[in-house]
Amino acid sequence: ADTIRRRLAVDPEDPKLWCALGDALDDEAHFQKALEVSKGKNARAMRSLARRAAQREDWPVAATHWLSAMAINPLFPDGWFSCGYACLKSEREEEALRAFVRCTQIDAENGQAWNNVAALNIRKGSYPAAHVALQEATKQAHDSWQTWENLAMVAAKVGRFQQSARALVRVMDLTGGAKLHVATLSTLVERCKEARAGT
């Protein structure tokens, strides 16, 4: 910390040095100072403040800092997921959805982000969008029976009954038959009856 302080004595307007001092002393005030000297444009300071707010579960503050940080540096790999999570915990679902979508655009193999995109679309009643997201999620989370169960339910909602049935079979395989989404199974049985009756 002494070395950083000596450098700050020479250049007190360097936000990187203030962030380094914040890390060294575990002091949030130095990240605030980094924001001050950068006129609110230091993404590193915002990310640090966001993480600290998340650690104390102050989700509205974390979400605000993450959104600001990602506006400055949108290509920070883990930032969009953390931003989406903080927005979700703050009940800012539209912003959470946008953040998780950006996360999947940067990292198409993030199964949890795809799952969150699907869950938020299900809440909105946007089943076709949820269906697309769950198809991607199951590619990344092969062994998550919950993801397969969600796919079974959403596939039935969008009329993809064979896919829904296959997903239910996968749920049973993964859980040894212990889990079965009864409402989805009932929907499939009804559709089969309708098909046999020619309706």
Side-chain angles (χ1 to χ4, degrees), residues 4-183:
I4 299 167
R5 283 197 172 105
R6 282 194 296 273
R7 290 181 63 191
L8 276 169
V10 176
D11 187 3
E13 300 296 307
D14 186 342
K16 291 178 193 166
L17 291 174
W18 285 109
C19 286
L21 189 61
D23 286 335
L25 300 177
D26 193 27
D27 187 345
E28 202 167 297
H30 298 304
F31 298 110
Q32 294 288 358
K33 181 67 176 177
L35 279 182
E36 179 188 318
V37 299
S38 71
K39 298 179 176 51
K41 297 196 184 308
N42 188 275
R44 160 77 166 80
M46 289 177 194
R47 289 192 301 268
S48 293
L49 290 169
R51 286 189 193 101
R52 288 166 179 274
Q55 285 173 348
R56 62 179 183 269
E57 297 186 6
D58 187 348
W59 299 113
V61 169
T64 298
H65 285 306
W66 272 118
L67 287 164
S68 297
M70 300 316 293
I72 293 169
N73 182 0
L75 297 179
F76 189 74
D78 298 324
W80 284 114
F81 189 90
S82 297
C83 180
Y85 187 77
C87 288
L88 186 59
K89 296 294 272 183
S90 302
E91 299 179 8
R92 297 164 72 169
E93 291 188 0
E94 284 301 319
E95 290 166 306
L97 179 57
R98 283 194 295 274
F100 287 127
V101 166
R102 288 297 298 271
C103 182
T104 63
Q105 290 168 341
I106 293 170
D107 179 9
E109 295 181 1
N110 189 325
Q112 189 59 49
W114 282 113
N115 240 341
N116 291 343
V117 169
L120 287 162
N121 276 301
I122 289 168
R123 286 186 193 180
K124 289 172 46 176
S126 299
Y127 294 106
H131 182 244
V132 170
L134 283 165
Q135 288 181 103
E136 292 299 321
T138 55
K139 289 177 189 174
Q140 308 310 322
H142 310 289
D143 297 329
S144 168
W145 68 265
Q146 296 95 333
T147 303
W148 284 100
E149 183 178 72
N150 287 338
L151 178 60
M153 184 266 297
V154 170
K157 292 241 184 229
V158 297
R160 300 287 304 273
F161 301 113
Q162 287 183 344
Q163 184 182 47
S164 180
R166 285 193 300 271
L168 283 176
V169 169
R170 182 75 175 133
V171 170
M172 294 186 66
D173 286 346
L174 289 169
T175 64
K179 301 286 183 188
L180 182 61
H181 197 259
V182 177

